[in-house]
Amino acid sequence: MSYLDATQDLYKQAALTPDVGLCCTTNPIWQFPGLSIPKIMQEMNYGCGSTVSAQDLVNNPKILYVGVGGGMELLQFSYFSRQMGGVTGVDSVDEMLEASRKNFKIAEEENDWFKSEYVNLVKGDALNLPVEDESIDVAAQNCLFNIFKIDDLKKAVSEMYRVLKPHGRLVMSDPICEQPMSGELRNDDRLRAQCLSGSIPLKDYVKVLTDAGFGTIEIRGKRSYRVLSPNHYPTKELIHIESIEIAAIKDPMPADGPCVFTGKTAIYFGDEAYFDDKKGHVLLQNQPLAVCDKTAAALASASDEIFISESTYHYNGGGCC
Ligand SMILES: C[S@@+](CC[C@H](N)C(=O)[O-])C[C@H]1O[C@@H](n2cnc3c(N)ncnc32)[C@H](O)[C@@H]1O
C-alpha cells in the first residue's frame, strides 16, 4: 500500500469516527458575528492553523478548498462569499465528502444566512484537480500538502498554480520542521498521514512555491505545533514541529527573484527627511516600512543608516517589495 493509500484510509476513519486530537491548533477558531460553527465541525477540525483571512476575500472571489475535512473552513469562507457554488470543496475520500455534506446541513440549521448550495463538493485529487485553468481567485488547503512527498508536493502546488487566475492567491496552513528526521519517521506512512513526519524546512517549502512561479510569498503566521520525543517516536533527539500560515500570490516573477515577506521592517535613521533607493522604496526618517527579504538585504547594503528588524514570521500585508 502506498503512503497515499494509507492517507485515504486514515481520513476515511477520521470521517466515520471524528478524532478530536488528530490535528490540534494553537490559533483560535475564528468566530464572526452571526456565524455559528457546529460542534461536529469543530471536532473534525483537522487543520493546523487558519487559511481564512478577510483581506483575501473582497470582490466576491471564487474560492477553491482542497481537502475539506469536516467543512469548517469552507463554512467560514462561505460567510464571506455567500453565493451559490461560491466555494468549491475537493476531497478524494468519499466518506469525508459525505460527512462534510451532513455537517453543512447542520450548519444550515444554525445559520440563517447559510445554504448548503453555497458549497459545491467535488470528488477529486489534489494531484490532479478537477478544476478549469485560471478559474479561481482564492485557493486554500490546510494540513494536507505537508503529507505529500516532495514530487507530489510539487505536483499539488503546480495544480493550484494552474487553476488560479493571474494575481490569485493560494492560502495554506501546514506544519514545517527545521530539524532532520530519521528515515524511520519519514517512511512511517501513518505518522506522515497524521501530519507528523512529512514536514520540511520553511525555506524548502517556500522554494517549492516560488519554483512553481508564485512571485510573492507572505509568511503570515508561525507557531509551535508538536514535538516528537524519543520516548514516543523513533527519533534520537527531540524534534520540534511548527505550523505556518502562508500565502503565495500568482504575481509575475520579478526579474531579480521572488518577493518573500517574512515580517522584516526597514527604518531609516539618517539626518535627511527620507532615504530613496531609486528602486521604488522611499523610507521616511524613523518610519517603519515592511519590506520583503530581498529588499531588506538590498537596503542593508545600500546604507548603514537603515535598521532592518528580524523576521517576525507574522506578516499581514502593507509595505513594498
Ligand atoms: C489533515 S485533513 C485536513 C482537513 C481540513 N483541511 C481541515 O483543516 O480540517 C486532510 C484532508 O485531505 C483529504 N485528502 C487526503 N488526501 C487527499 C488527496 N490526495 N486529494 C484531496 N484530498 C485529500 C482528506 O480526506 C482530509 O479531508
Side-chain angles (χ1 to χ4, degrees), residues 7-8 11 23 44-47 65-70 73 90-93 96 124-126 142-144 147-148 195:
T7 302
Q8 304 295 302
Y11 288 101
C23 295
M44 292 178 72
N45 176 14
Y46 299 144
Y65 192 94
V66 179
V68 297
E73 290 206 306
V90 171
D91 204 290
S92 57
V93 177
M96 198 60 92
D125 192 333
N142 193 334
C143 232
L144 170 62
I147 296 170
F148 293 140
C195 304

Side-chain angles (χ1 to χ4, degrees), residues 145-150 153-154 174-181 186 192 196-209 240-242 244:
F145 283 13
N146 75 96
I147 296 170
F148 293 140
K149 293 186 177 172
I150 190 71
L153 174 63
K154 288 179 184 171
D174 253 330
I176 54 151
C177 182
E178 303 299 336
Q179 292 166 261
M181 287 191 198
R186 288 282 186 218
R192 181 175 279 275
L196 289 175
S197 67
S199 50
I200 58 176
L202 179 59
K203 71 169 182 6
D204 297 354
Y205 195 101
V206 168
K207 186 165 186 319
V208 171
L209 297 172
H240 181 215
I241 303 176
E242 294 164 290
I244 49 159

Side-chain angles (χ1 to χ4, degrees), residues 242-258:
E242 294 164 290
S243 73
I244 49 159
E245 293 170 347
I246 185 167
I249 301 164
K250 194 175 173 178
D251 290 336
M253 184 61 69
D256 58 352

Side-chain angles (χ1 to χ4, degrees), residues 17 30 33 41 56 65 72 115 120 122 125 144 170 176 203 217 240 245 247 275 278-279 311:
T17 314
W30 298 128
M41 279 188 176
D56 301 322
Y65 192 94
M72 185 183 82
K115 296 183 176 54
N120 175 31
V122 180
D125 192 333
L144 170 62
L170 169 58
I176 54 151
K203 71 169 182 6
I217 308 292
H240 181 215
E245 293 170 347
F275 175 88
K278 312 274 193 244
K279 293 175 187 156
S311 300

